[in-house]
Structure formats: C-alpha cells, structure tokens
Amino acid sequence: PTGLVIALDGPSGSGKSSTSRGVATRLGLRYLDTGAMFRAMTWAMLEAGVDVHDAQAVAAYAPTPRIESGTNPTAPTIHVDGHDVGEAIRGEAVTGAVSPVSAVPEVRARLLELQRTIIGDGDIVVEGRDIGSVVAPQARVKLYLTADPGARAARRALEEGGSDVAATEASLLARDAIDSTRRTAPLTMPEGAVHIDTTDFTLDEVIDQVLRLVQQAQ
Ligand code: C5P
C-alpha cells in the first residue's frame, strides 16, 4: 500500500468528525464521512417510502440510490441522485432510522464498494464504525475514539443547536446499542487501534495527539 490511510472509528459524538476533518485539513488529505453515506442511503429509503424496519425491503432497495461523497475536509458534500442532502441527513427522521438500515448486509456491501473506490490508493482520513476493522484494515494509523455518554450528548446537542441533552443521550445510546450488536461489521475497537478517550480533552488537543501518532507511523 502506497498512500496514507488514517482510520477513525468510535460511537456517536465521540469527536470523530471534528477530529477527522481537522487532521485531514492540517495534513492536506482528503476526508470521507462514511456515516454520511449511511445517512444518505437512509434518506433515500425514507423518500421512497421503504419500511426501514423491514430488512428485506431495505435490502431490495439498497442498489437503487446513486450516492456521491465530496472529500474536501473543509466543505464535505453528499448527494443522492443529484440532490444535495447535506442538511436533510442530519434531521431527526434520518437519525432515528439510520441504525436499522445500516445493520442490513446488502446496504453495507453496496456502500463498502463505494468506500473502497473513494479510498483508492489512500491519502485520506476516513471516519465511521468499521473502518479499521473491515473497510480499510490496511490503514497506516487506526484510532478508536470514545467519550463519556454525558459528554457525547452535550456536544451533539450543542451541534444540533441546543436540543435536549437527556433526549440526545437516549438517542445516542439507542444507536450505539444497535451499531455494536449487529451481525455484520459491528462497532468495535479494531485490532492495532490506539484508543483515545476524548472526554477531558479539547478538540485541538485530540487533533495534536493524532498528528503525533501519524508522524510516528511515517
Ligand atoms: O457517524 P454518524 O453518527 O453520522 O453515523 C450514523 C450511523 O451510520 C451510525 O449510527 C451507524 O448506524 C451507521 N454507520 C455504520 N458504519 C459506518 C458509519 C456509520 O454503520 N462506517
């Protein structure tokens, strides 16, 4: 493998997105948000009226939507069949439906192919739940980010413009439970990953830790 692949996995609100974008920007690398791809697939299912709790219906629809990810870390984009869904995929409807959709093997197989194509020869920071374990086990640097549930909920509620922290925490934990127990590519700490608990660190401190690890791995 020639290019540099940096894999960041972890549960919702652990600081993966901000850290990944910061690291990619500092190193001049591309950035791929695989969670946005699963959210885009879920948005397409909801638009098409697919029952997201019917795994057979979800599997049958999985090949249909055309999903395009932009990889600029300062302005990542996501399109479904040419529609910009960057905002829509952050809404409650998608957030509530994304974990059951992501548990369906046909969805994962479809997106895995797209993810591997984008990753190509590397020079990219990739964030998700199964990047170091399944999507890019060859990654030169693998990180597993966690944080206390209260801290994760507080950050996510702030990002969402002041949603209720208790409700946000309940929603995060419900997604984590489904994501960590599904049969295909569950959320797990990949072999060879460095664990960073971000609870008591600022974003810049976490970015600096990752940059040091990348330097050591060169
Ligand atoms: O990272 P984000 O919270 O946007 O991810 C949304 C959902 O997409 C996760 O809760 C999980 O169900 C799914 N996901 C996944 N595998 C990935 C990235 C995200 O299953 N690599």
Side-chain angles (χ1 to χ4, degrees), residues 34-35 38-39 98-99 102 108 128-130 175 179 182:
T34 62
F38 285 95
R39 287 172 178 271
V98 66
S99 283
S102 304
R108 306 204 69 83
R129 303 290 188 290
D130 60 341
R175 276 200 291 143
D179 295 344
R182 68 180 175 226

Side-chain angles (χ1 to χ4, degrees), residues 24-176:
T25 304
R26 291 275 294 272
L27 296 176
L29 303 176
R30 294 177 299 143
Y31 160 71
L32 180 62
D33 177 0
T34 62
M37 300 173 86
F38 285 95
R39 287 172 178 271
M41 177 65 88
T42 303
W43 179 88
M45 301 260 174
L46 295 174
E47 277 290 299
V50 174
D51 174 1
V52 296
H53 297 287
D54 176 347
Q56 279 191 348
V58 168
Y61 197 72
T64 307
R66 183 164 53 89
I67 294 171
E68 291 165 303
S69 306
T71 57
N72 177 346
T74 58
T77 57
I78 181 96
H79 289 83
V80 176
D81 297 322
H83 301 285
D84 179 347
V85 294
E87 269 182 42
I89 62 166
R90 305 293 161 192
E92 252 174 66
V94 170
T95 300
V98 66
S99 283
V101 169
S102 304
V104 175
E106 286 80 359
V107 166
R108 306 204 69 83
R110 169 87 202 287
L111 295 182
L112 179 63
E113 196 180 319
L114 290 179
Q115 289 156 9
R116 291 228 171 111
T117 302
I118 295 168
I119 294 168
D121 292 332
D123 292 335
I124 190 163
V125 180
V126 188
E127 67 150 297
R129 303 290 188 290
D130 60 341
I131 309 308
S133 55
V134 172
V135 177
Q138 82 285 6
R140 199 171 318 159
V141 181
K142 297 184 194 182
L143 286 316
Y144 188 70
L145 267 54
T146 60
D148 290 348
R152 297 198 275 129
R155 288 173 190 164
R156 195 43 72 87
L158 196 69
E159 277 167 19
E160 289 169 355
S163 347
D164 180 66
V165 178
T168 305
E169 181 169 337
S171 151
L172 288 183
L173 294 177
R175 276 200 291 143
D176 288 353

